[in-house]
């Protein structure tokens, strides 16, 4: 009964490869996010989708391409991986309540990406 | 854009004592201030949040205070227990614009038994 699940949990890959991380939420939320957490634990938003539409893109390199086939899924595809992409990537979801933005965000367990 | 600063970056507290973590924000339009707890190997989890129409909120051993004029908010944990050891993040968000959450830099709290 996991609320926000992302796969894989660990991903080790070589520079230049292309990889994808999948995320699914079963909470019925309409908004999903990708966050990047670096080695110093800084949490920074990358993308936000609301009802399958992109609403936030925080100057992320275009090697990163999110895809939302439906509002329960938000996948992250990364092309031409670089050493600096090594981090933990978190998927999250939330919902609007009564038209008010910013309610509790539920996070997945994270995907630790290591580029070698 | 919003900038959230968080202090201290590390905090060690004797079990049973209180812990206080402080955050400041820059955007006066921010009106939602959640606190997240991240345990090792897990994603952040909301522990308490406060909106700008409230100055203080309490949930058992956890309380949050907000000073909108000074643009700062704080997390207070009383009667700390070993399971409170984790990394804590404050965040600020708004109902307006793109409604994203901007996180602080985190505080590693260690409870000493």
């Amino acid at each position: 009964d996991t609320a926000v699940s992302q796969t894989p949990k660990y991903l080790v890959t070589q520079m230049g490869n292309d990889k994808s991380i999948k995320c699914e939420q079963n909470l019925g939320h309409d908004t999903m996010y990708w966050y990047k957490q670096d080695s110093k634990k800084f949490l920074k938003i990358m993308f936000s989708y609301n009802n399958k539409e992109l609403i936030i893109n925080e100057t992320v390199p275009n090697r990163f391409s999110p895809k939302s086939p439906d509002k329960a899924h938000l996948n992250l595809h990364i092309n031409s991986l670089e050493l600096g992409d090594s981090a933990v990537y978190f998927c999250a979801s939330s919902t609007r309540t009564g038209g008010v933005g910013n309610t509790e965000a539920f996070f997945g367990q994270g995907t630790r990406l290591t580029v070698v | 854009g919003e900038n959230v600063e968080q202090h201290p970056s590390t905090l060690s507290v004797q079990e049973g004592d209180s812990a206080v973590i402080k955050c400041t924000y820059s955007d006066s339009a921010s009106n939602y201030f959640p606190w997240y707890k991240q345990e090792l190997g897990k994603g952040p989890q909301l522990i308490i949040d406060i909106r700008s129409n409230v100055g203080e909120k309490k949930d058992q051993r956890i309380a949050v205070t907000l000073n909108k004029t000074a643009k700062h908010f704080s997390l207070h944990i009383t009667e700390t227990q070993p399971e409170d050891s984790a990394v804590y993040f404050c965040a600020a968000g708004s109902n307006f614009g793109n409604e994203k959450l901007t996180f602080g830099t985190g505080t590693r709290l260690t409870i000493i038994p």
Side-chain angles (χ1 to χ4, degrees), chain B residues 7-13 18-21 86 107-112:
Chain B
H7 300 279
S9 56
T10 60
L11 179 60
S12 293
V13 173
S18 296
V20 180
I21 302 171
T107 296
R108 184 176 297 279
L109 175 63
T110 303
I111 307 302
I112 305 164

PDB file of all heavy atoms in Angstrom, chain B residues 7-13 18-21 86 107-112:
ATOM      1  N   HIS B   7      19.071  27.228  10.305  1.00  0.00           N
ATOM      2  CA  HIS B   7      20.163  27.114  11.271  1.00  0.00           C
ATOM      3  C   HIS B   7      19.674  26.381  12.511  1.00  0.00           C
ATOM      4  O   HIS B   7      18.520  26.542  12.908  1.00  0.00           O
ATOM      5  CB  HIS B   7      20.663  28.507  11.680  1.00  0.00           C
ATOM      6  CG  HIS B   7      21.166  29.302  10.536  1.00  0.00           C
ATOM      7  ND1 HIS B   7      22.425  29.141  10.015  1.00  0.00           N
ATOM      8  CD2 HIS B   7      20.566  30.257   9.794  1.00  0.00           C
ATOM      9  CE1 HIS B   7      22.588  29.971   9.012  1.00  0.00           C
ATOM     10  NE2 HIS B   7      21.478  30.662   8.854  1.00  0.00           N
ATOM     11  N   PRO B   8      20.536  25.608  13.171  1.00  0.00           N
ATOM     12  CA  PRO B   8      21.907  25.295  12.755  1.00  0.00           C
ATOM     13  C   PRO B   8      21.935  24.162  11.736  1.00  0.00           C
ATOM     14  O   PRO B   8      20.915  23.541  11.485  1.00  0.00           O
ATOM     15  CB  PRO B   8      22.545  24.853  14.070  1.00  0.00           C
ATOM     16  CG  PRO B   8      21.412  24.188  14.809  1.00  0.00           C
ATOM     17  CD  PRO B   8      20.169  24.963  14.434  1.00  0.00           C
ATOM     18  N   SER B   9      23.086  23.874  11.199  1.00  0.00           N
ATOM     19  CA  SER B   9      23.189  22.773  10.246  1.00  0.00           C
ATOM     20  C   SER B   9      23.305  21.440  10.982  1.00  0.00           C
ATOM     21  O   SER B   9      22.899  20.394  10.461  1.00  0.00           O
ATOM     22  CB  SER B   9      24.385  22.958   9.310  1.00  0.00           C
ATOM     23  OG  SER B   9      25.573  23.106  10.065  1.00  0.00           O
ATOM     24  N   THR B  10      23.868  21.468  12.181  1.00  0.00           N
ATOM     25  CA  THR B  10      23.907  20.277  13.026  1.00  0.00           C
ATOM     26  C   THR B  10      23.540  20.680  14.446  1.00  0.00           C
ATOM     27  O   THR B  10      23.833  21.797  14.881  1.00  0.00           O
ATOM     28  CB  THR B  10      25.286  19.599  13.027  1.00  0.00           C
ATOM     29  OG1 THR B  10      26.252  20.538  13.518  1.00  0.00           O
ATOM     30  CG2 THR B  10      25.694  19.133  11.649  1.00  0.00           C
ATOM     31  N   LEU B  11      22.916  19.761  15.157  1.00  0.00           N
ATOM     32  CA  LEU B  11      22.456  20.041  16.508  1.00  0.00           C
ATOM     33  C   LEU B  11      22.461  18.744  17.309  1.00  0.00           C
ATOM     34  O   LEU B  11      21.864  17.754  16.881  1.00  0.00           O
ATOM     35  CB  LEU B  11      21.042  20.626  16.467  1.00  0.00           C
ATOM     36  CG  LEU B  11      20.361  20.966  17.791  1.00  0.00           C
ATOM     37  CD1 LEU B  11      21.159  22.005  18.560  1.00  0.00           C
ATOM     38  CD2 LEU B  11      18.942  21.468  17.528  1.00  0.00           C
ATOM     39  N   SER B  12      23.179  18.768  18.433  1.00  0.00           N
ATOM     40  CA  SER B  12      23.197  17.601  19.330  1.00  0.00           C
ATOM     41  C   SER B  12      22.539  17.993  20.639  1.00  0.00           C
ATOM     42  O   SER B  12      22.872  19.026  21.225  1.00  0.00           O
ATOM     43  CB  SER B  12      24.646  17.148  19.580  1.00  0.00           C
ATOM     44  OG  SER B  12      25.210  16.649  18.393  1.00  0.00           O
ATOM     45  N   VAL B  13      21.618  17.165  21.077  1.00  0.00           N
ATOM     46  CA  VAL B  13      20.824  17.470  22.260  1.00  0.00           C
ATOM     47  C   VAL B  13      20.755  16.234  23.151  1.00  0.00           C
ATOM     48  O   VAL B  13      20.609  15.114  22.642  1.00  0.00           O
ATOM     49  CB  VAL B  13      19.388  17.901  21.841  1.00  0.00           C
ATOM     50  CG1 VAL B  13      18.497  18.055  23.032  1.00  0.00           C
ATOM     51  CG2 VAL B  13      19.436  19.191  21.058  1.00  0.00           C
ATOM     52  N   SER B  18      15.169  19.983  25.049  1.00  0.00           N
ATOM     53  CA  SER B  18      14.453  20.523  23.894  1.00  0.00           C
ATOM     54  C   SER B  18      15.406  20.867  22.761  1.00  0.00           C
ATOM     55  O   SER B  18      16.589  21.145  22.996  1.00  0.00           O
ATOM     56  CB  SER B  18      13.690  21.793  24.298  1.00  0.00           C
ATOM     57  OG  SER B  18      12.694  21.493  25.253  1.00  0.00           O
ATOM     58  N   ALA B  19      14.884  20.834  21.547  1.00  0.00           N
ATOM     59  CA  ALA B  19      15.653  21.210  20.357  1.00  0.00           C
ATOM     60  C   ALA B  19      14.892  22.293  19.603  1.00  0.00           C
ATOM     61  O   ALA B  19      13.663  22.222  19.482  1.00  0.00           O
ATOM     62  CB  ALA B  19      15.875  19.996  19.460  1.00  0.00           C
ATOM     63  N   VAL B  20      15.626  23.281  19.113  1.00  0.00           N
ATOM     64  CA  VAL B  20      15.014  24.364  18.353  1.00  0.00           C
ATOM     65  C   VAL B  20      15.778  24.564  17.052  1.00  0.00           C
ATOM     66  O   VAL B  20      17.007  24.664  17.052  1.00  0.00           O
ATOM     67  CB  VAL B  20      15.015  25.694  19.145  1.00  0.00           C
ATOM     68  CG1 VAL B  20      14.361  26.797  18.308  1.00  0.00           C
ATOM     69  CG2 VAL B  20      14.295  25.531  20.469  1.00  0.00           C
ATOM     70  N   ILE B  21      15.045  24.608  15.970  1.00  0.00           N
ATOM     71  CA  ILE B  21      15.631  24.848  14.650  1.00  0.00           C
ATOM     72  C   ILE B  21      14.950  26.081  14.066  1.00  0.00           C
ATOM     73  O   ILE B  21      13.721  26.197  14.148  1.00  0.00           O
ATOM     74  CB  ILE B  21      15.431  23.634  13.720  1.00  0.00           C
ATOM     75  CG1 ILE B  21      16.051  22.376  14.345  1.00  0.00           C
ATOM     76  CG2 ILE B  21      16.054  23.901  12.349  1.00  0.00           C
ATOM     77  CD1 ILE B  21      15.705  21.087  13.610  1.00  0.00           C
ATOM     78  N   ALA B  86      17.423  12.674  13.189  1.00  0.00           N
ATOM     79  CA  ALA B  86      17.120  12.683  11.749  1.00  0.00           C
ATOM     80  C   ALA B  86      17.603  14.008  11.184  1.00  0.00           C
ATOM     81  O   ALA B  86      18.149  14.847  11.899  1.00  0.00           O
ATOM     82  CB  ALA B  86      15.620  12.530  11.504  1.00  0.00           C
ATOM     83  N   THR B 107      18.857  20.431   8.881  1.00  0.00           N
ATOM     84  CA  THR B 107      19.536  20.373  10.183  1.00  0.00           C
ATOM     85  C   THR B 107      19.626  18.919  10.604  1.00  0.00           C
ATOM     86  O   THR B 107      18.610  18.223  10.691  1.00  0.00           O
ATOM     87  CB  THR B 107      18.751  21.148  11.256  1.00  0.00           C
ATOM     88  OG1 THR B 107      18.701  22.521  10.919  1.00  0.00           O
ATOM     89  CG2 THR B 107      19.390  20.955  12.639  1.00  0.00           C
ATOM     90  N   ARG B 108      20.851  18.466  10.827  1.00  0.00           N
ATOM     91  CA  ARG B 108      21.037  17.096  11.311  1.00  0.00           C
ATOM     92  C   ARG B 108      20.936  17.110  12.824  1.00  0.00           C
ATOM     93  O   ARG B 108      21.829  17.644  13.503  1.00  0.00           O
ATOM     94  CB  ARG B 108      22.377  16.533  10.852  1.00  0.00           C
ATOM     95  CG  ARG B 108      22.560  15.055  11.255  1.00  0.00           C
ATOM     96  CD  ARG B 108      23.864  14.504  10.702  1.00  0.00           C
ATOM     97  NE  ARG B 108      23.883  14.496   9.250  1.00  0.00           N
ATOM     98  CZ  ARG B 108      23.315  13.574   8.486  1.00  0.00           C
ATOM     99  NH1 ARG B 108      22.684  12.551   9.040  1.00  0.00           N
ATOM    100  NH2 ARG B 108      23.416  13.640   7.171  1.00  0.00           N
ATOM    101  N   LEU B 109      19.863  16.558  13.346  1.00  0.00           N
ATOM    102  CA  LEU B 109      19.627  16.517  14.795  1.00  0.00           C
ATOM    103  C   LEU B 109      20.031  15.159  15.339  1.00  0.00           C
ATOM    104  O   LEU B 109      19.582  14.121  14.839  1.00  0.00           O
ATOM    105  CB  LEU B 109      18.145  16.774  15.093  1.00  0.00           C
ATOM    106  CG  LEU B 109      17.706  16.645  16.558  1.00  0.00           C
ATOM    107  CD1 LEU B 109      18.415  17.683  17.421  1.00  0.00           C
ATOM    108  CD2 LEU B 109      16.196  16.788  16.678  1.00  0.00           C
ATOM    109  N   THR B 110      20.887  15.183  16.349  1.00  0.00           N
ATOM    110  CA  THR B 110      21.316  13.954  17.020  1.00  0.00           C
ATOM    111  C   THR B 110      20.900  14.027  18.473  1.00  0.00           C
ATOM    112  O   THR B 110      21.233  14.995  19.174  1.00  0.00           O
ATOM    113  CB  THR B 110      22.838  13.778  16.925  1.00  0.00           C
ATOM    114  OG1 THR B 110      23.230  13.776  15.550  1.00  0.00           O
ATOM    115  CG2 THR B 110      23.276  12.474  17.585  1.00  0.00           C
ATOM    116  N   ILE B 111      20.173  13.033  18.921  1.00  0.00           N
ATOM    117  CA  ILE B 111      19.763  12.955  20.320  1.00  0.00           C
ATOM    118  C   ILE B 111      20.716  12.008  21.048  1.00  0.00           C
ATOM    119  O   ILE B 111      20.854  10.839  20.670  1.00  0.00           O
ATOM    120  CB  ILE B 111      18.309  12.447  20.451  1.00  0.00           C
ATOM    121  CG1 ILE B 111      17.372  13.302  19.585  1.00  0.00           C
ATOM    122  CG2 ILE B 111      17.884  12.462  21.924  1.00  0.00           C
ATOM    123  CD1 ILE B 111      17.374  14.769  19.896  1.00  0.00           C
ATOM    124  N   ILE B 112      21.354  12.520  22.070  1.00  0.00           N
ATOM    125  CA  ILE B 112      22.341  11.750  22.824  1.00  0.00           C
ATOM    126  C   ILE B 112      21.663  11.041  23.986  1.00  0.00           C
ATOM    127  O   ILE B 112      21.082  11.696  24.837  1.00  0.00           O
ATOM    128  CB  ILE B 112      23.455  12.684  23.345  1.00  0.00           C
ATOM    129  CG1 ILE B 112      24.070  13.476  22.189  1.00  0.00           C
ATOM    130  CG2 ILE B 112      24.522  11.888  24.089  1.00  0.00           C
ATOM    131  CD1 ILE B 112      24.880  14.661  22.640  1.00  0.00           C
TER     132      ILE B 112
END
